[in-house]
Amino acid sequence: MTNKEEPKKEVVNANGVPLFKASYNKQDVQLDNEIVYEFGGPIGVCAMMTGFPALMYYFWVSLEYHQGTLYYPESFTKEGLSNFFWNEYYGKIVEGALPNLTAIKIYMGYALFSFILAWIMPGPIVEGLAIPSLKGKKLKYQCNGLSSWYTVLATSAVLHVTGIFRLTQIIDNFGPIMSVAIIWGFTMTTLVCISGYVQGTNHRMSGNFFYDYFMGGPLNPRIGPVDLKMWAEIRLPWVVLFYCSLSCLLKQYELDGQVTAPAVFMVLAHFLYVNACQKGEECIPTSWDIFYEKDGFMLIFWNMAGVPFTYCYASIYLMKYQLTTGTAITHSLPYTAALFTALLLAYWVFDTGNSQKNRFRMEQNGSFFVRKTFPQLPWGHIKNPSYIKTEHGNLLLTSGWWGIVRKPHYTADLIMAISWGLITGFGSFLPYFYFCFFVVVLVHRVTRDMERCAKKYGKDWERYCERVPYIFVPYVF
C-alpha cells in the first residue's frame, strides 16, 4: 500500500521523506473557508458557555463540602430546588470561591510572568504550515517553552523554600483562584474577539455572534513575538495543573510529614504531561490547533480555566479525603506498581507517538531539526518511514505507532487519563471526570478529523484506511 515512487525532481531529505513545499491549493482554501455548525450550533455553544462554568462550580462544591460526593436537592419541589440552588450551590460559592486579592495575585501573576517569559526567553524559531487564509504564508513561532518551564520551576522552588510564596497557598485558595481563571477566560476571549474586528483578522465567520464568539474570530492573534493561541495552549494550562497537584503533595507533607504513593503518582503524571508539552514545543506549530482552529472561547476558556481546574480532581480528592477522614488513600504494592507501570508505558507511547507524527510532518515542511531535550525516548523519530503519497501532494504516515492504529497518541492519552482516576480508588466519580470528558472530546475530534481527511484525500484516504484499519486499539476498534 505504501507509495514511495518519487518524481525525478522531487527533493528528498536524508531520512527518505519528500519535501512538500507546495504552499496551498484551491482545495485547501475551500476546506479552510468551509463553515460547519458544530456542537449543536448557536444553541449548543451557548449551553456550553454557561454550562461549563456552572459545572466547574458544582464539582468544586462537591469536593470542598461533600468530600467528592455528587450532591442533589433533598426534594424536587419548588422549595427544595430553591434551597439547593441558593444555599447548597450559590451560597457555597459565595462562601468559599469568590475571587480575592491573593487569588488574583497568584493566577494573574503567573499568567503575566509566563507571558513575559514567552516574549524574552531563548528558544528555536520554527515555521508553521502554509496558511490558506494568509495566501500560503508560514508564520514563525519562538519555541522557548522549555527554557521558560525550567525558569518557572527554579523560581517557584526559591519562592517556596524562602517562604516568600508557599506553594501550598494554591490549594488553600483553590476556589477563588478557579473563579479568577473563569473570569479571565471570558475576559481574554472578549479581548481577542474585539481585536479580530478592530484589526480585520477574523476568518471563517458564520455570522452568528454567539457561535463565532465560541469558535473564535482571528486565527493567529499575536502580541509582539508571542502567539496568543500557542501561549494559551502550552504555557498556562498544564503548568497550572502541575502546580495544583504539587500544592496538594506539599500540603500533605506539611500536615503529616510524609507523602503517599497516590499523591506522588499525580505529581509525576502531571509533570510528565507538562514537560512533554515544553520539550516538544517545536512540534506544535504544525499541529491542527495552531494551523486550523480559531482563537475563541472553545480554546481560550478551556486552556485558561477548564484544563487546570477540572483535570486536577484526582489530586484534590486525595487531599480532601485525607483532611476529612484523617486517613490518606493508599493501595497495595502490586496495585500501585501496576498503575505506575501503566502510566509510564502509556506516556512512552504518547510521547513517541506525538514525536513520530510531528517530526514526520516537520520533515515534509522542511522545518525539522534535532533537539536534545529531556527526555528523548526510544522510537521518537522514525528512520526511513513508510507512507502513502496523496494526489494532494503531502504524505500519510504508515510507520511506527501510526502503522498500527490511526490515533495511537489518543489511546495512550486515555490510558493515562483512566490511571489518574484509578490511583484514587473508587470512592468518587470526580477523579474519573477527566477520563469520561476526554472520551467524548476525542470521539468528536476523531469523527471530525476522519470526515475532513476523507474530503481532502478522497481515494488516497480509502487506501490509508485499508492500510491502517484500526483507530484506537488493534483488532478491536
Side-chain angles (χ1 to χ4, degrees):
M1 286 296 179
T2 300
N3 178 8
K4 299 182 74 168
E5 296 180 5
E6 303 151 356
K8 293 181 180 180
K9 295 183 180 180
E10 189 171 53
V11 179
V12 180
N13 71 4
N15 198 36
V17 179
L19 188 64
F20 180 54
K21 275 295 186 181
S23 57
Y24 68 106
N25 58 30
K26 291 182 179 179
Q27 186 185 37
D28 290 324
V29 174
Q30 181 181 357
L31 291 172
D32 188 58
N33 288 318
E34 186 179 29
I35 299 172
V36 179
Y37 272 152
E38 300 182 73
F39 308 107
I43 295 176
V45 299
C46 285
M48 293 170 74
M49 287 190 286
T50 54
F52 278 155
L55 187 64
M56 290 172 67
Y57 278 119
Y58 172 76
F59 286 156
W60 173 79
V61 173
S62 296
L63 285 165
E64 187 70 20
Y65 297 98
H66 300 275
Q67 295 75 55
T69 301
L70 301 182
Y71 64 104
Y72 310 95
E74 293 182 359
S75 68
F76 288 90
T77 62
K78 182 178 180 180
E79 182 179 344
L81 292 173
S82 177
N83 177 69
F84 172 80
F85 178 79
W86 291 110
N87 296 325
E88 295 300 320
Y89 179 71
Y90 179 76
K92 297 300 184 184
I93 295 172
V94 172
E95 178 183 329
L98 289 184
N100 56 41
L101 184 58
T102 299
I104 294 171
K105 288 180 179 179
I106 292 173
Y107 184 86
M108 296 308 298
Y110 172 69
L112 177 61
F113 183 51
S114 68
F115 182 85
I116 293 172
L117 292 177
W119 190 305
I120 67 172
M121 293 301 288
I125 296 176
V126 178
E127 268 192 352
L129 298 177
I131 301 174
S133 60
L134 297 179
K135 299 182 178 180
K137 181 179 180 180
K138 294 184 177 183
L139 300 178
K140 296 184 183 298
Y141 298 82
Q142 187 169 359
C143 299
N144 54 14
L146 194 64
S147 58
S148 299
W149 168 230
Y150 289 158
T151 301
V152 169
L153 286 174
T155 303
S156 65
V158 171
L159 292 176
H160 180 77
V161 172
T162 59
I164 296 175
F165 173 69
R166 301 288 292 177
L167 293 175
T168 50
Q169 290 187 56
I170 297 173
I171 199 59
D172 290 339
N173 293 276
F174 183 82
I177 296 173
M178 183 183 74
S179 293
V180 173
I182 289 173
I183 294 170
W184 173 242
F186 278 97
T187 302
M188 182 174 172
T189 301
T190 302
L191 292 174
V192 170
C193 177
I194 293 172
S195 75
Y197 285 104
V198 172
Q199 298 176 353
T201 55
N202 286 339
H203 173 59
R204 205 187 313 126
M205 303 294 278
S206 71
N208 181 280
F209 172 79
F210 296 105
Y211 188 78
D212 290 333
Y213 184 84
F214 181 86
M215 298 300 292
L219 182 64
N220 306 103
R222 295 188 167 204
I223 297 179
V226 181
D227 183 274
L228 293 181
K229 189 164 60 173
M230 193 156 140
W231 168 74
E233 185 164 318
I234 303 299
R235 306 303 179 84
L236 199 140
W238 302 107
V239 177
V240 174
L241 175 65
F242 166 74
Y243 276 103
C244 285
S245 290
L246 180 60
S247 181
C248 289
L249 181 91
L250 293 172
K251 188 71 174 181
Q252 185 181 68
Y253 183 78
E254 187 179 89
L255 294 173
D256 288 353
Q258 60 182 0
V259 295
T260 60
V264 172
F265 180 94
M266 290 311 305
V267 171
L268 173 64
H270 292 162
F271 174 82
L272 289 173
Y273 218 109
V274 65
N275 192 70
C277 292
Q278 312 308 323
K279 79 182 182 73
E281 189 186 25
E282 73 277 5
C283 299
I284 303 297
T286 57
S287 68
W288 173 263
D289 283 356
I290 301 300
F291 167 72
Y292 180 81
E293 299 285 15
K294 298 184 294 179
D295 205 22
F297 181 91
M298 181 178 73
L299 290 185
I300 295 173
F301 181 86
W302 203 244
N303 283 321
M304 295 295 104
V307 169
F309 296 100
T310 62
Y311 293 5
C312 65
Y313 288 156
S315 299
I316 305 295
Y317 173 71
L318 289 170
M319 189 202 67
K320 293 298 182 182
Y321 182 90
Q322 182 175 356
L323 288 175
T324 303
T325 65
T327 304
I329 292 176
T330 57
H331 307 289
S332 67
L333 180 59
Y335 182 85
T336 303
L339 286 179
F340 270 93
T341 301
L343 173 70
L344 293 174
L345 287 176
Y347 173 75
W348 173 54
V349 177
F350 169 79
D351 186 298
T352 54
N354 277 302
S355 295
Q356 288 175 2
K357 174 189 65 176
N358 288 304
R359 287 171 177 172
F360 179 72
R361 188 181 289 159
M362 291 173 71
E363 286 184 305
Q364 294 177 70
N365 192 46
S367 58
F368 173 74
F369 62 98
V370 177
R371 193 180 184 200
K372 297 296 184 180
T373 52
F374 176 82
Q376 289 297 310
L377 302 176
W379 218 27
H381 184 208
I382 305 172
K383 301 298 182 182
N384 298 309
S386 63
Y387 51 81
I388 291 175
K389 185 168 183 180
T390 68
E391 291 184 7
H392 179 273
N394 55 5
L395 315 175
L396 302 176
L397 180 63
T398 58
S399 279
W401 298 116
W402 302 87
I404 301 173
V405 291
R406 296 180 218 163
K407 300 295 180 182
H409 57 324
Y410 287 171
T411 303
D413 227 342
L414 287 172
I415 293 173
M416 289 192 291
I418 192 66
S419 75
W420 297 6
L422 291 172
I423 199 65
T424 68
F426 303 96
S428 172
F429 160 75
L430 292 183
Y432 294 89
F433 168 77
Y434 169 51
F435 172 76
C436 295
F437 175 78
F438 207 35
V439 168
V440 175
V441 170
L442 293 188
V443 168
H444 173 263
R445 294 197 70 163
V446 167
T447 301
R448 185 172 65 166
D449 183 49
M450 298 300 173
E451 291 175 352
R452 181 178 175 84
C453 287
K455 288 182 181 179
K456 184 173 182 178
Y457 300 122
K459 292 182 179 180
D460 291 322
W461 182 250
E462 295 177 8
R463 292 171 55 214
Y464 171 75
C465 292
E466 291 177 2
R467 169 66 179 81
V468 188
Y470 300 102
I471 300 175
F472 292 117
V473 182
Y475 306 106
V476 178
F477 179 70

